[in-house]
Amino acid sequence: MKLLRPALLSLLCAAGIAQAAPPARVVGLGGAVTEIVYALDAGQTLVGADSSSIYPASAARLPKVGYYRSFSVEGIASLKPDLVLASDQSGPPQALEQVRKLGSKVVTLPSEPTLEALDQRILGTAAALDVPERGRALVDKLHAELREIKPVTAPVRVLMVSSHTGKMQAVGSDTAGNAMLRLAGATNVLGNQTGFKPFSAEAAAALKPDVIVTTTMSVGASGSAAAFLAQPGINATPAARNKRIVVMDDLLLLGFGPRLPEALRLLQTGLAMPQTAAR
């Protein structure tokens, strides 16, 4: 497998990863970034993470520094990290610069939901942690597993919905959710729109999805999968009438991290089931 060495070299040079000793105190900003550290068997270096870092269980127990898009500089400073691994969506930018000025090395990693960017996230994290061979092994393993996963053959129209606050948003193109559906071989009924879009009950009914895919947090906001499907608009879809809903852990479904093969297998299993999929 080609490991995109020119792109990785450019990434690492821009990040300035020349260091005398492996980092001993690391903070992760972004759930997928933190998860990669654990997947590289380097979790013992983590002294803190942002609030989206909830997997594995030990990540959830780490001291938290706020949400990665609006993290606390003071929170990071109190942990005295020698390395901060950050999704390139972390910020604001001036906050990252403050962290650098306080003496911590900051390495930003690409967040795009593509296999190329995932390779770079893993290899860049491994290089920053001074375990490059583990990074190469993890990328090789991930790609080997992905080659064994075949897209679903039967056409299936999917509406992916996020509803953490009670206001439903549908997942369009240029998102991790859309990338997941594409890799699984499903059709995103909102694929002609970009990003997360609020939508009406009438719009949900008109889209006529065969299956609704959502997250555990979204279902939790409604109380149950049955209550989620009973919402106006959703309840008028073929998916709701046939109780075809796939509910997956938020970070697993949308993190586009090292568990990508597991996420795709679970998603495909759910898409193939005629009744409610297991969480």
Side-chain angles (χ1 to χ4, degrees):
M1 183 198 69
K2 187 177 179 181
L3 293 183
L4 309 165
R5 297 183 190 280
L8 175 62
L9 180 60
S10 174
L11 171 70
L12 300 184
C13 289
I17 301 177
Q19 53 193 26
R25 298 183 62 82
V26 179
V27 170
L29 296 178
V33 171
T34 301
E35 187 176 329
I36 288 171
V37 176
Y38 282 99
L40 293 169
D41 196 26
Q44 74 280 358
T45 66
L46 285 164
V47 295
D50 83 300
S51 59
S52 73
S53 298
I54 56 176
Y55 183 90
S58 51
R61 295 192 292 267
L62 289 169
K64 293 299 187 281
V65 297
Y67 186 50
Y68 70 99
R69 292 179 186 265
S70 56
F71 66 87
S72 165
V73 174
E74 294 79 8
I76 288 183
S78 70
L79 298 171
K80 298 180 173 60
D82 43 35
L83 173 66
V84 176
L85 292 168
S87 159
D88 61 9
Q89 295 182 339
S90 300
Q94 57 268 31
L96 285 174
E97 188 56 34
Q98 282 183 269
V99 172
R100 289 188 180 97
K101 288 179 178 178
L102 289 171
S104 297
K105 183 181 293 295
V106 177
V107 174
T108 57
L109 299 154
S111 60
E112 292 84 1
T114 65
L115 293 179
E116 178 180 3
L118 177 55
D119 286 349
Q120 292 184 26
R121 282 194 289 281
I122 293 171
L123 295 171
T125 299
L129 295 170
D130 199 24
V131 290
E133 70 290 342
R134 297 184 199 173
R136 289 190 291 270
L138 180 57
V139 167
D140 287 343
K141 178 176 180 292
L142 186 145
H143 278 261
E145 290 185 36
L146 289 174
R147 284 193 293 270
E148 297 298 318
I149 300 174
K150 307 303 180 186
V152 293
T153 53
V156 57
R157 291 168 47 81
V158 177
L159 175 63
M160 187 177 290
V161 181
S162 173
S163 181
H164 295 177
T165 62
K167 294 183 179 179
M168 288 189 294
Q169 288 188 312
V171 176
S173 62
D174 295 333
T175 61
N178 186 70
M180 287 291 293
L181 293 178
R182 179 172 48 79
L183 287 173
T187 298
N188 184 356
V189 295
L190 211 71
N192 61 343
Q193 296 192 38
T194 303
F196 287 82
K197 299 292 184 183
F199 65 102
S200 64
E202 293 77 12
L207 290 169
K208 298 180 180 178
D210 302 311
V211 180
I212 289 171
V213 175
T214 191
T215 67
T216 53
M217 289 180 65
S218 296
V219 167
S222 298
S224 68
F228 184 90
L229 290 175
Q231 294 176 93
I234 292 269
N235 63 2
T237 64
R241 287 197 298 272
N242 295 317
K243 295 183 173 60
R244 294 190 67 188
I245 179 173
V246 180
V247 185
M248 290 177 57
D249 171 80
D250 294 63
L251 187 57
L252 181 62
L253 177 63
L254 303 175
F256 222 86
R259 291 183 292 161
L260 179 61
E262 176 188 344
L264 282 172
R265 286 191 290 265
L266 185 59
L267 177 59
Q268 288 187 328
T269 298
L271 294 177
M273 292 178 67
Q275 299 297 326
T276 303
R279 300 188 183 191

